[in-house]
Amino acid sequence: MNPKCKIAVFASGSGSNFAAIEEACRSGTLNAEIVLMVTNKPEAYVVKRAAQAGIQVAAFPSSEYATRAAYEKDILKKLQEVGAEWLVLAGYMRLIGETLLTAYPSRIVNIHPSLLPSFPGKDAIEQAVEHGVKVTGVTVHLVDAGMDTGPILAQRAVDVIPDNVEKTAEAIHAVEHDLYKDTLNRLFHA
Ligand code: GAR
């Protein structure tokens, strides 16, 4: 058995992907250990989920920093303290800057609820439903300086339920939780 990878999960929202990763680490279906949950939103529900799971939380409200470099420098210090080897973005709604990209080259992963390069950015599920596409999906990719760009590692298609964002989102999230775990396992132990 390979040694467990030490990962930091970055999240800004409800944290269903965080919860799926945490559960997979706990049950051993993902060979990794979450050493830190990083958020820019101390009030986000993901913070409660992390606390309940006994995962250390580091909250860095971005409004308190004058520059992205200063913000990321503080995050990096904490990541180094806990020995994080990979950064896993799970609904983290900020671009990653040069400080973290340089410290973790090809070691930052993101998940996005569309078949990139279609519908990058916020509200990808709403955009797909409003656009009237028949098929959307989920993408896992390595992170670069762009918004939801970077080399694609895995994609899975999901049928759009016409005019129904809620049901389409449900189907997407179920695929996300599964695809992220499988892709991370492959990536960490390639
Ligand atoms: C997920 O659908 C994730 O793919 C998306 O945010 C959601 C977070 O949900 N990420 C992006 O849109 C990145 N551009 P969660 O908080 O329940 O995990």
Side-chain angles (χ1 to χ4, degrees):
M1 185 80 166
N2 291 309
K4 285 185 182 179
C5 273
K6 293 184 173 192
I7 66 174
V9 178
F10 283 51
S12 313
S14 111
S16 75
N17 278 283
F18 166 82
I21 293 167
E22 194 280 320
E23 202 283 321
C25 289
R26 206 161 15 92
S27 66
T29 54
L30 176 57
N31 192 29
E33 177 194 355
I34 304 177
V35 291
L36 191 68
M37 198 284 286
V38 175
T39 188
N40 59 321
K41 299 259 180 225
E43 71 286 2
Y45 187 60
V46 67
V47 171
K48 285 204 180 71
R49 292 197 202 249
Q52 265 164 17
I55 304 285
Q56 188 181 163
V57 173
F60 298 91
S62 40
S63 55
E64 289 179 8
Y65 292 86
T67 63
R68 187 182 304 278
Y71 167 73
E72 289 196 347
K73 206 170 142 220
D74 272 8
I75 296 180
L76 182 57
K77 196 164 153 242
K78 189 73 200 171
L79 292 169
Q80 287 169 339
E81 240 173 69
V82 296
E85 298 165 307
W86 286 85
L87 311 187
V88 175
L89 312 190
Y92 179 66
M93 294 309 192
R94 277 183 67 83
L95 287 176
I96 298 294
E98 211 183 307
T99 306
L100 290 178
L101 287 170
T102 305
Y104 287 88
S106 298
R107 284 198 165 229
I108 310 178
V109 197
N110 183 41
I111 189 160
H112 184 75
S114 76
L115 293 176
L116 291 170
S118 290
F119 308 122
K122 279 189 189 159
D123 305 324
I125 303 171
E126 287 83 345
Q127 289 183 57
V129 173
E130 272 164 29
H131 203 90
V133 296
K134 302 300 174 211
V135 176
T136 183
V138 175
T139 302
V140 179
H141 64 96
L142 289 178
V143 170
D144 63 15
M147 185 183 302
D148 301 317
T149 54
I152 290 174
L153 299 169
Q155 289 188 307
R156 203 175 285 169
V158 175
D159 286 340
V160 169
I161 298 165
D163 302 319
N164 196 329
V165 171
E166 202 180 315
K167 285 258 181 290
T168 305
E170 242 172 61
I172 293 231
H173 290 313
V175 169
E176 283 190 323
H177 301 162
D178 193 48
L179 187 66
Y180 218 1
K181 177 190 63 175
D182 288 354
T183 310
L184 292 175
N185 258 329
R186 259 197 301 121
L187 188 64
F188 294 161
H189 304 295

